[in-house]
Amino acid sequence: MRLVLLGAPGAGKGTQAVFLKERHNLAHISTGDIFRQNLKDATPLGLEAKKYMDAGQLVPDEVVMKMVGETLSKFKPDEGFMLDGFPRTVKQAEFLEGLTKIDGVIMFKVPDEAIVKRLTSRATCKSCGNVTNINEHSVCPSCGGELYRRDDDNEATIRSRLKVFHEQTEALVEFYRSRGLLIEIDATGMPEEVFSRVVETLEHD
Ligand code: AMP
């Protein structure tokens, strides 16, 4: 199974990907994570991407498409994966269509104000990558590791990421609906509740 996870920043794509990975044994490909790893390793790709990430803007299509093309070329035809954070523009979606067949596109729907609230309190564990709420935990609730906040999780950058989402990424809802691939999920509430909606829809449709 090859899925695309679609949704605004903070809609819970990464969290749901962890659940889906466990249940369906799918590789999790997050373009944001690949950029952050490159930045940590100070590669030219990471340094180029940083300019855009810090401003809450999209990294240029050509750069992202090249990176995704290289990543997906390592997968055998029968290997499943989830794309988290890609595609984000119609151009990227067309590029993906030329690369591989996608079985479903899950759109996680959350109102903007709930997103701002989630992201201004989002923290990630340095050791295990678990995503949690900084107001509720001072260390990682699953492994006790140190928590950090993403540089782009400040209110000004969150607002511009949301604007970019509405201006460029939301068009993909129609793109995939017209291809009969769209699965819309109410992504408000606790992650476990959202996941049970995903399972119900994916496995019973
Ligand atoms: P994310 O972790 O998915 O929220 O991505 C963090 C940042 O990485 C985004 O705000 C963009 O600057 C960049 N990025 C990630 N994926 C893409 C993509 N498909 N197209 C353009 N920029 C991306």
Side-chain angles (χ1 to χ4, degrees), residues 31-32 35-36 52-53 57-59 64 85-86 88 92 150 152 161:
T31 41
F35 285 133
R36 280 184 289 277
Y52 301 96
M53 293 168 84
Q57 298 297 318
L58 294 184
V59 175
V64 190
F86 183 92
R88 266 173 151 101
Q92 293 179 13
R150 269 174 53 171
D152 55 354
R161 286 156 68 202

Side-chain angles (χ1 to χ4, degrees), residues 17-126:
V18 174
F19 292 138
L20 276 164
K21 183 177 178 166
E22 235 169 66
R23 192 174 175 101
H24 289 288
N25 189 29
L26 301 172
H28 176 196
I29 304 167
S30 156
T31 41
D33 282 351
I34 301 175
F35 285 133
R36 280 184 289 277
Q37 187 58 48
N38 271 276
L39 186 55
K40 217 168 144 195
D41 299 340
T43 69
L45 176 67
L47 298 173
E48 165 78 3
K50 181 178 162 53
K51 296 186 280 190
Y52 301 96
M53 293 168 84
D54 284 351
Q57 298 297 318
L58 294 184
V59 175
D61 283 336
E62 279 64 30
V63 176
V64 190
M65 292 184 322
K66 181 167 180 278
M67 181 178 92
V68 170
E70 283 166 6
T71 304
L72 296 193
S73 70
K74 294 177 191 136
F75 282 82
K76 298 196 192 84
D78 60 339
E79 278 179 305
F81 56 71
M82 294 162 289
L83 283 164
D84 162 5
F86 183 92
R88 266 173 151 101
T89 63
V90 170
K91 196 163 175 201
Q92 293 179 13
E94 286 167 349
F95 170 78
L96 179 64
E97 220 168 25
L99 277 185
T100 182
K101 179 176 169 288
I102 294 296
D103 302 298
V105 176
I106 309 179
M107 168 68 185
F108 295 98
K109 297 194 296 183
V110 183
D112 282 8
E113 282 322 303
I115 295 272
V116 175
K117 222 168 137 192
R118 275 188 193 182
L119 292 186
T120 46
S121 57
R122 175 164 81 173
T124 310
C125 175
K126 272 191 181 169

